[in-house]
Amino acid sequence: MILTEDLVLLDDLLRLCAAAGAEPEVHHTVPERRAAWTDPPLVLVGDDVAARCRGATRRPGVLLVGREADDPAVWRQAVEIGAESVLILPDAEGRLVDLIADAVEGAGGQALTVGVIGGRGGAGASTLACALALAAARAGQRTLLVDGDPLGGGLDVLLGGERVEGHRWPDFAASKGRLAGGALEESLPSVRGLRVLSWDRGDPVHVPAEVMRSVLAAARRRDGVVVVDLPRTLDGAATEALAQLDLGLLLVPGELRAVAAAHRVAGAVGMVLQDLRAVVRGPYAPGLDERWIAEALRLPLVGELPYEPDLSAAGDGGAPPGADDRGGLGRFCAAFWEHALAPERAA
């Protein structure tokens, strides 16, 4: 809802609402009907009519919009009407579009975003990422799996969904500006109860860092879980993906060379991501175990990924990794989410 008599301000606010996909009601003062004031998720009050909102029922989602940043009256009025913040145009236009779009989408909390990266080539990061996504979906979480490795062959293939219609990375490579979370999710292939943003089998396409930022911001905006499969080479897009993670998992095979390689990966990742943890898988070289490896890397240990020699063969046969919740990989992923999501459930 918009409250203003300033026609120039109204034109600006209507333009910004249109950009965010919103169709607002327009009033010149607080509506007499209580529900008309309390029901809209967002109320934009022009500084020209702020005085008329004094005494109105206090409610969340009220923003005072003005044009004069140096006018102390604007800030005083915001306090008087219980506004959550003051937005000065035109500088705050981008932020206001985001707030309007979030209100339209009914945005709640941020999705828990987990990235998986291999300590060395062939460590099985894509396998673990797919299994984690499947386990999250089985647990009833809204789940989105993002393929951040352009040279990995496509996670949709690993899930058996390469023929499912929907957008892939090349469809977003040239996009600009904000993406709506709902529109992003609906455009992606739905495979085994989750949404997948994968690469296709066409020629390589460059995804700029700003596109990765926009896509992941949209993916994270709607609660649930986002799992990102990351490459070991950190270009601009991969670095941007790391910056948006809540938690990173470094998958390390139980070999000395793998530990040495993982140490270098951890150093590069740690420059961007604060919460990086180790997942170790066997079989182990003599004298090594999961705790020794985690200590050598100076990373917290999430756990030991059970060794399943037939896992690759199962994937080639059409059963995605972790599809069997009774297998070692499926049990590992279920236990991971039970622990990782516990604080959110308690909240």
Coordinates of all heavy atoms in Angstrom, one line a residue, residues 6 9 44-51 53-54 62-89 92:
D6 N 1.9 13.4 -3.0 CA 2.9 13.9 -3.9 C 2.9 13.1 -5.2 O 3.3 11.9 -5.3 CB 4.3 13.8 -3.2 CG 5.4 14.4 -4.0 OD1 5.3 14.5 -5.2 OD2 6.4 14.8 -3.3
L9 N 6.3 11.7 -6.4 CA 6.7 10.6 -5.5 C 5.8 9.4 -5.9 O 6.4 8.2 -6.0 CB 6.6 10.9 -4.1 CG 6.9 9.8 -3.1 CD1 8.4 9.4 -3.2 CD2 6.7 10.3 -1.6
L44 N 4.1 1.9 2.2 CA 5.1 2.9 1.9 C 4.4 4.3 2.2 O 3.4 4.6 1.5 CB 5.5 2.8 0.4 CG 6.0 1.5 0.0 CD1 6.3 1.5 -1.5 CD2 7.2 1.0 0.8
V45 N 4.9 5.0 3.1 CA 4.4 6.3 3.5 C 5.2 7.4 3.0 O 6.4 7.5 3.4 CB 4.2 6.4 5.1 CG1 3.7 7.7 5.5 CG2 3.4 5.2 5.6
G46 N 4.7 8.3 2.2 CA 5.4 9.4 1.7 C 5.6 10.4 2.8 O 4.7 10.6 3.7
D47 N 6.7 11.1 2.8 CA 7.0 12.1 3.9 C 6.0 13.2 3.9 O 5.8 13.9 4.9 CB 8.4 12.6 3.9 CG 8.8 13.2 2.5 OD1 7.9 13.2 1.6 OD2 9.9 13.8 2.4
D48 N 5.3 13.4 2.8 CA 4.3 14.5 2.7 C 3.1 14.2 3.5 O 2.3 15.2 3.9 CB 3.9 14.8 1.3 CG 3.3 13.6 0.6 OD1 3.9 12.5 0.6 OD2 2.2 13.7 0.1
V49 N 2.8 13.0 3.8 CA 1.5 12.6 4.6 C 1.9 11.9 5.9 O 1.0 11.4 6.5 CB 0.6 11.8 3.7 CG1 0.1 12.6 2.5 CG2 1.2 10.5 3.3
A50 N 3.1 11.9 6.3 CA 3.5 11.1 7.5 C 2.8 11.6 8.7 O 2.4 10.8 9.6 CB 5.0 11.2 7.7
A51 N 2.5 12.9 8.8 CA 1.8 13.4 10.0 C 0.5 12.8 10.2 O -0.1 12.7 11.3 CB 1.8 14.9 9.9
C53 N -0.3 9.8 9.8 CA -0.2 8.4 10.3 C 0.0 8.4 11.8 O 0.1 7.3 12.3 CB 0.9 7.7 9.5 SG 0.6 7.6 7.8
R54 N 0.2 9.5 12.4 CA 0.3 9.5 13.9 C -0.9 9.0 14.5 O -2.0 9.4 14.2 CB 0.6 10.9 14.4 CG 1.9 11.5 13.9 CD 2.0 13.0 14.3 NE 3.2 13.6 13.7 CZ 3.3 15.0 13.6 NH1 2.3 15.8 14.0 NH2 4.4 15.5 13.1
V62 N 6.2 -0.9 7.9 CA 5.9 0.5 7.5 C 7.3 1.1 7.1 O 8.2 1.1 7.9 CB 5.2 1.3 8.6 CG1 5.1 2.8 8.2 CG2 3.9 0.7 8.9
L63 N 7.4 1.7 5.9 CA 8.6 2.4 5.5 C 8.2 3.8 5.2 O 7.2 4.1 4.5 CB 9.2 1.7 4.3 CG 9.5 0.2 4.4 CD1 10.0 -0.3 3.0 CD2 10.5 -0.1 5.5
L64 N 9.1 4.8 5.6 CA 8.9 6.2 5.3 C 9.8 6.5 4.1 O 11.0 6.3 4.2 CB 9.2 7.1 6.5 CG 9.0 8.6 6.3 CD1 7.5 8.8 6.0 CD2 9.4 9.4 7.5
V65 N 9.2 7.1 3.1 CA 9.9 7.3 1.8 C 10.0 8.8 1.6 O 8.9 9.5 1.7 CB 9.3 6.7 0.6 CG1 10.1 6.9 -0.6 CG2 9.1 5.2 0.9
G66 N 11.2 9.4 1.5 CA 11.3 10.8 1.2 C 12.4 11.1 0.2 O 12.9 10.2 -0.4
R67 N 12.7 12.4 0.1 CA 13.7 12.8 -0.9 C 14.8 13.6 -0.3 O 15.8 13.8 -1.0 CB 13.0 13.6 -2.0 CG 12.1 12.8 -2.9 CD 11.4 13.7 -3.9 NE 10.5 12.9 -4.8 CZ 10.9 12.1 -5.8 NH1 12.2 12.1 -6.1 NH2 10.1 11.4 -6.5
E68 N 14.6 14.1 0.9 CA 15.6 15.0 1.5 C 16.4 14.3 2.6 O 15.8 14.2 3.7 CB 15.0 16.3 2.0 CG 14.3 17.1 0.9 CD 15.3 17.7 -0.1 OE1 16.5 17.9 0.3 OE2 14.9 17.9 -1.3
A69 N 17.5 13.8 2.3 CA 18.3 13.1 3.3 C 18.7 14.0 4.5 O 18.9 13.5 5.6 CB 19.5 12.4 2.7
D70 N 18.9 15.2 4.2 CA 19.4 16.2 5.3 C 18.2 16.8 6.1 O 18.5 17.6 6.9 CB 20.2 17.3 4.6 CG 21.4 16.7 3.9 OD1 22.0 15.7 4.4 OD2 21.9 17.3 2.9
D71 N 17.0 16.4 5.8 CA 15.9 17.0 6.5 C 15.6 16.2 7.8 O 15.2 15.0 7.8 CB 14.6 16.9 5.7 CG 13.4 17.5 6.3 OD1 13.6 18.1 7.4 OD2 12.3 17.5 5.7
P72 N 15.9 16.8 9.0 CA 15.8 16.0 10.3 C 14.3 15.7 10.6 O 14.0 14.7 11.3 CB 16.3 17.0 11.3 CG 16.3 18.4 10.7 CD 16.5 18.1 9.2
A73 N 13.4 16.4 10.0 CA 12.0 16.1 10.2 C 11.6 14.7 9.7 O 10.7 14.1 10.3 CB 11.1 17.2 9.5
V74 N 12.2 14.3 8.6 CA 11.9 13.0 8.1 C 12.2 11.9 9.1 O 11.4 11.0 9.4 CB 12.7 12.7 6.8 CG1 12.5 11.3 6.3 CG2 12.3 13.7 5.7
W75 N 13.3 12.0 9.8 CA 13.7 11.0 10.7 C 12.8 11.0 12.0 O 12.5 10.0 12.6 CB 15.2 11.1 11.1 CG 16.0 11.1 9.9 CD1 16.4 12.2 9.1 CD2 16.5 9.9 9.2 NE1 17.2 11.7 8.0 CE2 17.2 10.4 8.0 CE3 16.4 8.6 9.4 CZ2 17.8 9.5 7.2 CZ3 17.0 7.7 8.5 CH2 17.7 8.2 7.4
R76 N 12.5 12.2 12.4 CA 11.6 12.4 13.5 C 10.2 11.8 13.2 O 9.6 11.1 14.1 CB 11.4 13.9 13.9 CG 10.6 14.1 15.1 CD 10.6 15.6 15.5 NE 9.9 16.4 14.5 CZ 10.6 17.3 13.7 NH1 11.9 17.4 13.8 NH2 9.9 18.0 12.8
Q77 N 9.7 12.1 12.0 CA 8.4 11.5 11.6 C 8.4 10.0 11.6 O 7.4 9.3 12.0 CB 8.0 12.0 10.2 CG 7.7 13.5 10.2 CD 7.5 14.0 8.8 OE1 8.1 13.5 7.8 NE2 6.7 15.1 8.6
A78 N 9.6 9.4 11.2 CA 9.7 8.0 11.1 C 9.5 7.4 12.5 O 8.8 6.3 12.7 CB 11.0 7.5 10.6
V79 N 10.1 8.0 13.5 CA 9.9 7.5 14.9 C 8.5 7.7 15.4 O 7.9 6.8 16.0 CB 10.9 8.3 15.8 CG1 10.6 7.9 17.3 CG2 12.3 8.1 15.5
E80 N 7.9 8.8 15.0 CA 6.5 9.0 15.5 C 5.5 8.0 14.9 O 4.5 7.7 15.6 CB 6.1 10.5 15.1 CG 6.9 11.6 15.8 CD 6.6 12.9 15.3 OE1 5.9 13.0 14.2 OE2 6.9 13.9 15.9
I81 N 5.7 7.5 13.7 CA 4.7 6.6 13.1 C 5.2 5.2 13.2 O 4.5 4.3 12.7 CB 4.5 7.0 11.6 CG1 5.7 6.7 10.8 CG2 4.0 8.4 11.5 CD1 5.4 6.9 9.3
G82 N 6.3 4.9 13.8 CA 6.8 3.5 14.0 C 7.3 2.9 12.8 O 7.2 1.7 12.6
A83 N 7.9 3.7 11.9 CA 8.4 3.2 10.6 C 9.7 2.3 10.9 O 10.5 2.7 11.8 CB 8.8 4.3 9.6
E84 N 9.8 1.2 10.2 CA 11.0 0.4 10.4 C 12.3 1.0 9.8 O 13.4 0.8 10.3 CB 10.8 -1.0 9.7 CG 9.7 -1.8 10.4 CD 9.6 -3.2 9.7 OE1 10.2 -3.4 8.7 OE2 8.9 -4.0 10.3
S85 N 12.1 1.9 8.8 CA 13.3 2.5 8.2 C 12.9 3.7 7.4 O 11.7 3.8 7.0 CB 14.2 1.6 7.4 OG 13.5 1.1 6.3
V86 N 13.8 4.5 7.0 CA 13.6 5.7 6.1 C 14.4 5.4 4.8 O 15.6 5.1 4.9 CB 14.1 7.0 6.8 CG1 14.0 8.1 5.8 CG2 13.3 7.3 8.0
L87 N 13.7 5.5 3.7 CA 14.3 5.3 2.4 C 14.3 6.6 1.6 O 13.2 7.2 1.4 CB 13.6 4.2 1.6 CG 13.6 2.8 2.3 CD1 12.8 1.9 1.4 CD2 15.0 2.3 2.5
I88 N 15.5 7.1 1.2 CA 15.6 8.4 0.5 C 15.8 8.1 -1.0 O 16.8 7.4 -1.3 CB 16.7 9.2 1.1 CG1 16.5 9.5 2.6 CG2 16.8 10.6 0.3 CD1 15.2 10.2 2.9
L89 N 14.9 8.5 -1.8 CA 15.0 8.3 -3.2 C 15.8 9.5 -3.8 O 15.8 10.6 -3.3 CB 13.6 8.2 -3.9 CG 12.7 7.1 -3.3 CD1 11.4 7.1 -4.1 CD2 13.4 5.8 -3.4
A92 N 17.9 5.0 -2.7 CA 17.5 3.8 -2.2 C 16.5 3.0 -3.1 O 15.8 2.1 -2.6 CB 16.8 4.0 -0.8

